[in-house]
Amino acid sequence: MTEPLRFEHHRSLRQLNTFGLPAVAEYYTEVYSPDQLPALETWLQAHPMPLLLLGGGSNLVLADQVPGLVAHIRIGGWVQSMSSDEQVLVRVGAGENWHDTVEKSIALGYSGLENLALIPGSVGAAPVQTIGAFGVELKDRVSAIEVFDRWTGRVRDLLPEECQFAYRDSLFKSIEPGRYIITAVEFQLQRQFSPVLEYAGLKEAVGDEITPQRVFAAVCRMRRAKLPDPAQTGNAGSFFKNPVVSPAEYERLRQRFGQLVAYPDPQGYKLAAGWLIDQCGLKGFAQAQAAVYDRQALVLINRGKARRQDIERLSGHVQQQVYERFGIWLEPEPRFYP
């Protein structure tokens, strides 16, 4: 028997967003099973209002008052759906913790996710943002996304090509936002380890003995060295996307700024947003209750009592400073809601 949904009024979301912003949801519910989603739709039809799907809260900048319904997706589960000598397919519930999932996959002897260790958030939120780190992109590890289609009221699988994955973007984020509720993600993992160590400094951090466990540990050390722990200091991880410019624009910038940090990209060159911000002298810069992290300029932090407006003001200041110096307008990674 499906457990009925329980709805709360004026629920605090401070502990449910990694920035630690004092947001309050007009209505709030928790979803533990895909079987509850038709009832969620029925409730919304009877009470028409905006819907915010909440995972780990790691990619959100919330207003003080969040209108409508916040549905916290807490669907668990771990099912091995196919196995061979070379690879395994694992379907993981959308509400599972991302880092715990990476750690569990390695403990079971599967490789492929180790470079994505210690990224905050939930499994279901990972494809929305199309996370990536240390030379590995999530889209290259996904074999299917299980979704509840709100238009048809049915659960079905989407293949990777249907998800329109792009750099920190996807079908779920900007093309058809709100249509699908991700209920599980199926990963294609390897039994035979094929390390990805091209990211600067990673191979040296791993050492001579290269195993999934050692890559996982090295990634964790490197992330902890430059990124604040959301449990201690509110943040949303990397706050700005690395901008992609044309070869001509890259050459213009390189002529003016000889130490420009950039990487080849199919569309030209991807610039290091953190380097651009750092060159503006903004590392450690504070404004009201928000600040640029003093160890990594790409991260904005909550100094303790920040509200949405503090993050907005600081973000806008960083964007303006970078634009005035480089002619590049940085795009935030997190979603400002509403």
Side-chain angles (χ1 to χ4, degrees), residues 114-134:
E114 54 278 348
N115 292 51
L116 302 176
L118 217 61
I119 296 177
S122 66
V123 166
V128 178
Q129 181 71 0
T130 317
I131 62 172
F134 292 92

Side-chain angles (χ1 to χ4, degrees), residues 118 218-228 293 295-296:
L118 217 61
V219 167
C220 289
R221 288 196 304 273
M222 293 175 73
R223 288 187 68 90
R224 289 184 176 118
K226 67 177 183 178
L227 299 173
Y293 191 49
R295 293 192 210 169
Q296 170 54 268

Side-chain angles (χ1 to χ4, degrees), residues 8-188:
E8 299 180 46
H9 193 39
H10 293 155
R11 164 68 184 264
S12 172
L13 303 176
R14 184 189 287 272
Q15 301 301 319
L16 298 178
N17 74 99
T18 61
F19 246 126
L21 300 177
V24 175
E26 183 179 3
Y27 290 95
Y28 171 88
T29 191
E30 296 179 339
V31 178
Y32 288 91
S33 167
D35 294 339
Q36 294 176 306
L37 293 174
L40 178 69
E41 283 300 309
T42 299
W43 191 90
L44 285 168
Q45 289 170 12
H47 309 82
M49 63 180 62
L51 171 66
L52 172 63
L53 300 174
L54 182 65
S58 61
N59 204 46
L60 284 171
V61 183
L62 295 173
D64 290 359
Q65 301 296 323
V66 178
L69 175 65
V70 174
H72 190 182
I73 306 301
R74 307 194 68 175
I75 300 169
W78 177 288
V79 178
Q80 184 173 303
S81 54
M82 189 280 286
S83 180
S84 69
D85 292 340
E86 294 79 27
Q87 66 182 27
V88 61
L89 296 182
V90 176
R91 187 164 295 225
V92 184
E96 295 284 354
N97 177 272
W98 174 258
H99 177 71
D100 291 348
T101 297
V102 175
E103 194 167 29
K104 181 175 180 177
S105 70
I106 294 171
L108 291 173
Y110 312 144
S111 64
L113 301 180
E114 54 278 348
N115 292 51
L116 302 176
L118 217 61
I119 296 177
S122 66
V123 166
V128 178
Q129 181 71 0
T130 317
I131 62 172
F134 292 92
V136 170
E137 294 292 327
L138 175 81
K139 64 182 179 62
D140 299 323
R141 303 293 186 260
V142 168
S143 55
I145 306 288
E146 182 186 284
V147 299
F148 174 79
D149 188 341
R150 298 181 63 203
W151 291 7
T152 65
R154 297 180 180 179
V155 174
R156 68 185 182 98
D157 279 2
L158 294 177
L159 297 176
E161 53 266 30
E162 296 178 272
C163 299
Q164 301 187 49
F165 291 130
Y167 175 56
R168 306 299 173 260
D169 199 6
S170 67
L171 171 75
F172 313 106
K173 184 176 181 181
S174 63
I175 301 168
E176 287 187 319
R179 175 176 177 178
Y180 299 105
I181 299 177
I182 296 176
T183 56
V185 179
E186 186 177 80
F187 301 100
Q188 180 175 299

